[in-house]
Amino acid sequence: MADVDALISSAYQQILEVIGSVEPRIADATRQELVDQRASLKLIASENYASPAVLLTMGTWFSDKYAEGTVGHRFYAGCQNVDTVESLAAEHARELFGAPYAYAQPHSGIDANLVAFWSILAHRVEGPWLEKAGAKNVNDLTDEDWETLRHELGNQRLLGMSLDAGGHLTHGFRPNISGKMFHQQQYGTDPATGLLDYDQVAAKAREFKPLILVAGYSAYPRRVDFAKMREIADEVGATLMVDMAHFAGLVAGKVFTGDEDPVPHAHVVTTTTHKSLRGPRGGLVLAQEEFASSVDRGCPMVLGGPLSHMMAAKAVALAEARQDSFRTYAQNIANNAQSLAEGFLKRGATLVTGGTDNHLVLLDVSSFGLTGRQAESALLDAGVVTNRNSVPADPNGAWYTSGIRLGTPALTTRGFGHDEFDTVAQLIVQVLQNTQPGTTKDGAASKASYVLADGVADKVKDASSELLDKHPLYPGLTLD
Ligand code: PLP
């Protein structure tokens, strides 16, 4: 490994020199980003540190290639190597997740969800409609047919988890395209427990009869019973789509199995590759065979040319996730989240749902008299990088919020364990206990400004650098 480290060090030295010879400010910012990431406690639940192999794979001449179409069926010449890359990414994804079909082209999680939505519409609405109209494919339709089809496609219903209960923007949130292209309704969590209320989901589904039932989340600290979600979908004739962007690493690492593994239960599963899965930024769609041909039409339905360099990096990351060591990593993510949650609870902090059983905790900072925005800023001053997040029925709305979302995947990659996460909880509580809400220029109460007591940020930074030094990021990589 030492040789690989030395190789990576010298590779990045040279890469930054080449970049710097064209635009030195980008080389400087890149160096500084490494310095900053090394020096902070990164607790953003959706972030991670990809391996040097994944990082290096992103920066190659595959970036220069256009390859619209699918493997072996491209609209451009000379795509034989892209075919190799895309086939491998899909093969690793199928094997890793036990999925009948995988599509590696989506550039991001949002793209993956758009591909999924349109594939479901194509399969469930357009297909039967074409058959009725006696047309072979959409190219055979007249303008009049299109008018009707547009109406039918645009009148479908989607039921997803609400944003403040932990769902994602793309799960039917009004300002997002998913909330505009579908008639949408949202399910939430039980106000008393903060837990997903399956009876409420079932009742809404029976009443609303969605075409698509979306499960999955960005900020819900618990596991989901996907077998139950499938039962609900089947009862009302809906397609179950699961967005596992956040917890794909826990599925890959076999922490979530049986009813908690979405792949055998959902018709279509989407994910990002860069969160707990620890790959490059990107998306994937997995599907049951029945949906394969419509998902394959991601391009030209909603995508243009695939990012071949990113598909190559997905293949490398998925190959890493197939190694036994990834299972240990995934289990550590979940164990560390438990430790973080216990660390908060024993110090009197309030957690949405009272704890966690996945990779994230949602800390309700209103008990410290703060908004999420104030807490996020004070923590950043102390070198703790988090993001503010709504809590269910948040009185401070989606901008100021009352919560802080914290995830364990990134620091687990650095090697943090049980005791270190307990210390992280202690440091966060120390910052929040020493932060007071500030006032506006006119002396009115402010939801944004804050006062962090003198000396606390430095004390916390000193304590965290002890932890960070014990677990260096990219240990073999030195930059001048
Ligand atoms: N789906 C979920 C559940 C997410 O949490 C996110 C991002 O945070 C996305 C989709 C979107 O991913 P991307 O930022 O890659 O578009």
Side-chain angles (χ1 to χ4, degrees):
M1 199 60 192
D3 287 346
V4 177
D5 285 349
L7 210 66
I8 289 164
S9 256
S10 92
Y12 273 114
Q13 289 281 8
Q14 290 170 46
I15 287 166
L16 288 168
E17 261 174 49
V18 174
I19 297 169
S21 71
V22 180
E23 176 46 289
R25 288 168 296 182
I26 293 296
D28 290 348
T30 308
R31 278 196 190 89
Q32 190 57 43
E33 182 60 23
L34 181 62
V35 172
D36 292 352
Q37 291 210 19
R38 280 179 161 161
S40 57
L41 287 173
K42 172 148 100 168
L43 288 155
I44 307 260
S46 49
E47 292 187 10
N48 211 326
Y49 303 106
S51 72
V54 169
L55 296 182
L56 289 168
T57 311
M58 285 188 256
T60 77
W61 30 94
F62 267 122
S63 166
D64 300 332
K65 195 73 200 93
Y66 245 106
E68 283 178 13
T70 49
V71 175
H73 187 79
R74 305 283 184 188
F75 291 87
Y76 290 77
C79 295
Q80 58 282 4
N81 299 311
V82 179
D83 281 355
T84 303
V85 158
E86 184 170 352
S87 305
L88 274 171
E91 180 186 314
H92 282 311
R94 285 195 308 273
E95 298 282 327
L96 176 64
F97 292 110
Y101 168 79
Y103 185 62
Q105 291 194 17
H107 311 331
S108 68
I110 283 202
D111 277 9
N113 285 350
L114 277 178
V115 169
F117 291 147
W118 282 105
S119 310
I120 295 167
L121 287 170
H123 182 69
R124 297 276 314 273
V125 182
E126 185 185 285
W129 195 88
L130 287 176
E131 216 170 284
K132 221 168 48 188
K136 265 217 175 91
N137 65 49
V138 286
N139 299 330
D140 300 331
L141 299 180
T142 63
D143 285 351
E144 206 177 310
D145 290 332
W146 265 114
E147 197 53 45
T148 318
L149 181 54
R150 253 196 301 274
H151 183 73
E152 299 219 355
L153 287 171
N155 268 309
Q156 302 304 322
R157 292 181 291 271
L158 176 140
L159 178 62
M161 192 179 205
S162 70
L163 195 68
D164 74 344
H168 187 251
L169 297 172
T170 49
H171 300 178
F173 186 53
R174 267 271 186 254
N176 181 262
I177 181 89
S178 60
K180 297 184 204 281
M181 73 189 254
F182 290 107
H183 294 289
Q184 59 78 34
Q185 277 199 15
Q186 308 263 276
Y187 58 84
T189 46
D190 183 321
T193 61
L195 296 171
L196 193 49
D197 176 352
Y198 295 96
D199 291 339
Q200 185 207 89
V201 180
K204 286 214 166 188
R206 277 181 209 120
E207 194 189 313
F208 187 50
K209 300 231 175 334
L211 175 82
I212 304 179
L213 173 63
V214 182
Y217 51 79
S218 298
Y220 178 68
R222 296 288 176 177
R223 302 183 185 194
V224 174
D225 183 338
F226 295 110
K228 214 175 253 178
M229 293 303 270
R230 176 61 187 258
E231 247 173 61
I232 296 171
D234 283 348
E235 188 193 324
V236 301
T239 300
L240 178 62
M241 171 181 153
V242 176
D243 178 350
M244 65 170 183
H246 257 264
F247 54 89
L250 300 183
V251 178
K254 309 293 175 222
V255 177
F256 291 1
T257 56
D259 293 350
E260 294 164 356
D261 176 354
V263 180
H265 302 293
H267 296 92
V268 180
V269 176
T270 58
T271 187
T272 55
T273 44
H274 48 274
K275 305 189 205 294
S276 53
L277 198 51
R278 207 168 58 184
R281 299 198 78 85
L284 279 179
V285 181
L286 309 174
Q288 299 300 331
E289 208 50 70
E290 175 195 357
F291 286 84
S293 61
S294 52
V295 174
D296 240 7
R297 288 166 50 202
C299 166
M301 261 191 317
V302 292
L303 300 176
L307 310 179
S308 305
H309 56 310
M310 301 307 280
M311 291 198 295
K314 285 176 206 176
V316 172
L318 291 163
E320 288 177 347
R322 291 184 66 188
Q323 294 170 2
D324 286 345
S325 55
F326 195 86
R327 291 193 182 197
T328 311
Y329 167 64
Q331 190 56 56
N332 288 343
I333 291 177
N335 296 347
N336 287 338
Q338 288 287 335
S339 170
L340 185 65
E342 284 159 18
F344 283 128
L345 294 171
K346 75 182 183 203
R347 293 176 177 92
T350 307
L351 299 181
V352 173
T353 78
T356 178
D357 49 30
N358 56 20
H359 64 296
L360 69 89
V361 300
L362 191 54
L363 179 61
D364 186 337
V365 293
S366 57
S367 59
F368 294 94
L370 300 170
T371 63
R373 172 91 189 261
Q374 290 161 332
E376 177 193 82
S377 305
L379 287 167
L380 187 63
D381 289 349
V384 185
V385 187
T386 65
N387 70 283
R388 64 189 186 279
N389 207 101
S390 305
V391 300
D394 200 313
N396 288 322
W399 180 249
Y400 293 109
T401 81
S402 303
I404 288 286
R405 187 185 66 164
L406 305 146
T408 55
L411 290 180
T412 302
T413 296
R414 283 185 77 150
F416 277 49
H418 179 276
D419 293 351
E420 280 114 339
F421 271 98
D422 181 60
T423 308
V424 168
Q426 180 247 310
L427 295 175
I428 290 173
V429 170
Q430 191 179 343
V431 172
L432 300 180
Q433 280 175 338
N434 285 287
T435 305
Q436 300 296 325
T439 50
T440 63
K441 272 189 251 134
D442 311 328
S446 164
K447 290 185 176 188
S449 66
Y450 61 96
V451 181
L452 175 58
D454 281 349
V456 174
D458 286 341
K459 263 194 215 138
V460 168
K461 277 185 184 164
D462 287 346
S464 20
S465 52
E466 255 180 56
L467 302 180
L468 293 164
D469 291 348
K470 254 191 356 195
H471 301 288
L473 174 61
Y474 305 123
L477 176 55
T478 44
L479 296 181
D480 294 337

